[in-house]
Amino acid sequence: MSTTLTTSAPATCWACSTALGESPLLCVACGKVQPTTSLDYFHAFALARKLQIDLPGLEREFHRLSRRLHPDRFARATPQEQEWSLAATALLNDAYRTLRDPIARVEYLLKLEGLEIGEEHAGVNKRADRQPPADLLEEVFELNMQLEEMRMTQKMGESDPSLQRDLKSARTKFETLLSEVDNDLATQGRAWDEGDAATRPAAAKAMAALLDRRRYLRNLVRDVNQVLGA
C-alpha cells in the first residue's frame, strides 16, 4: 500500500502571524497569499475530507478565491508572492475540477487515504480495467464475440440488424449496471462520511473495488458505442 499523501500547511500567516484557520490560501487579516506546499484539495477549500459536498457552495468559493488569487492582483508583489499566487491558482483549478466530479472526488480521497487504485496498480499484464468481474464472465465473453462479429461484418461492407439489436441490448444492460455501481458508490460514500477510524477502512476498500468494476463496465459501453458508431 502506498503512503498517505501529505496534507500539512502553515498554521499562521507568514506576513502577520495571524492564525490561518480555515483560510489556508489567503490570510483573512492582511490578504497575503500563502504558500501551498503539500496542501490537499479538500483543505484548499476548507472542507472536511468527506464525499458529500455542497456543490453550489464549492462553486461560489472557487470563484471568490479565483478572483482574490488572480496573478494580476500580485503584479507589484514580491517575486515569491507572485510565484505563490500562480501556484495557488493552479492548485485551486485542479482542486475544483476534481472535487466537483463525484467519481474523481472518490478516487482522490482514496489516494489521500493511501489506497492504490487505477490500472497503474493492477500489475503487469493484469490491467484492472480489463479483468472481467466474476459475475459477468459469460456475458462479457458473449459480448466480445458479438463485437468481433460486428467488426468483421462492417469490414466486409455488410450489415446485420439482428446483431446490432443484440449489441444495443447489451449496452443497455451494462449501462444499467453502471448506474447500480454509482448507487453503491454513493452508499459507501455515506458510510465513509458517517463513519470513524474503525469503520472507514471497510468503506474505502469497498469503494476501491466499485471503482474497478465501474472502469471495466464503462470500457465495455465505450467498445459497443465505437462499433455502433454512437
Side-chain angles (χ1 to χ4, degrees):
M1 180 173 289
S2 64
T3 303
T4 303
L5 299 182
T6 305
T7 60
S8 59
T12 60
C13 172
W14 62 270
C16 69
S17 298
T18 297
L20 294 175
E22 295 185 350
S23 301
L25 294 174
L26 283 166
C27 176
V28 295
C30 68
K32 292 288 188 178
V33 64
Q34 304 297 309
T36 60
T37 304
S38 302
L39 192 65
D40 76 69
Y41 293 168
F42 290 95
H43 193 185
F45 282 101
L47 294 171
R49 195 179 291 182
K50 293 188 176 183
L51 292 169
Q52 299 300 309
I53 288 180
D54 174 11
L55 292 178
L58 177 71
E59 183 175 7
R60 288 193 298 271
E61 185 67 359
F62 170 70
H63 291 302
R64 184 187 75 83
L65 288 172
S66 294
R67 291 191 296 270
R68 296 284 305 279
L69 291 167
H70 196 282
D72 287 350
R73 296 176 63 92
F74 298 90
R76 296 185 179 181
T78 66
Q80 179 66 87
E81 290 174 86
Q82 292 176 12
E83 181 180 334
W84 286 342
S85 171
L86 289 170
T89 298
L91 172 68
L92 195 67
N93 288 334
D94 289 342
Y96 179 62
R97 281 194 298 268
T98 298
L99 296 183
R100 71 179 178 179
D101 180 277
I103 302 303
R105 191 188 314 144
V106 173
E107 291 176 340
Y108 182 72
L109 182 141
L110 293 182
K111 287 178 180 178
L112 282 178
E113 292 300 313
L115 273 74
E116 297 176 340
I117 62 174
E119 65 178 81
E120 66 271 22
H121 299 297
V124 178
N125 297 323
K126 189 181 178 183
R127 293 172 55 191
D129 61 346
R130 284 326 233 170
Q131 299 304 304
D135 61 317
L136 298 177
L137 281 173
E138 185 175 338
E139 289 155 296
V140 169
F141 177 78
E142 177 66 21
L143 176 66
N144 286 331
M145 294 290 290
Q146 292 172 333
L147 288 171
E148 186 59 29
E149 184 178 350
M150 179 60 83
R151 292 186 185 105
M152 291 299 298
T153 298
Q154 293 172 338
K155 187 175 181 180
M156 296 171 64
E158 300 174 355
S159 63
D160 188 332
S162 177
L163 182 56
Q164 188 173 49
R165 285 194 299 270
D166 289 342
L167 285 171
K168 288 181 178 179
S169 177
R171 179 178 61 188
T172 298
K173 174 169 184 176
F174 290 124
E175 286 174 339
T176 298
L177 291 175
L178 265 176
S179 295
E180 292 175 1
V181 168
D182 288 346
N183 289 337
D184 290 342
L185 274 172
T187 298
Q188 293 299 329
R190 288 191 293 273
W192 167 273
D193 288 352
E194 297 167 5
D196 54 25
T199 61
R200 281 182 167 177
K205 184 177 180 180
M207 286 189 287
L210 286 166
L211 286 174
D212 282 343
R213 182 178 179 86
R214 188 182 193 279
R215 191 177 300 110
Y216 187 83
L217 290 169
R218 183 191 62 198
N219 286 342
L220 289 178
V221 173
R222 179 204 63 198
D223 291 345
V224 175
N225 283 335
Q226 287 176 346
V227 166
L228 293 177

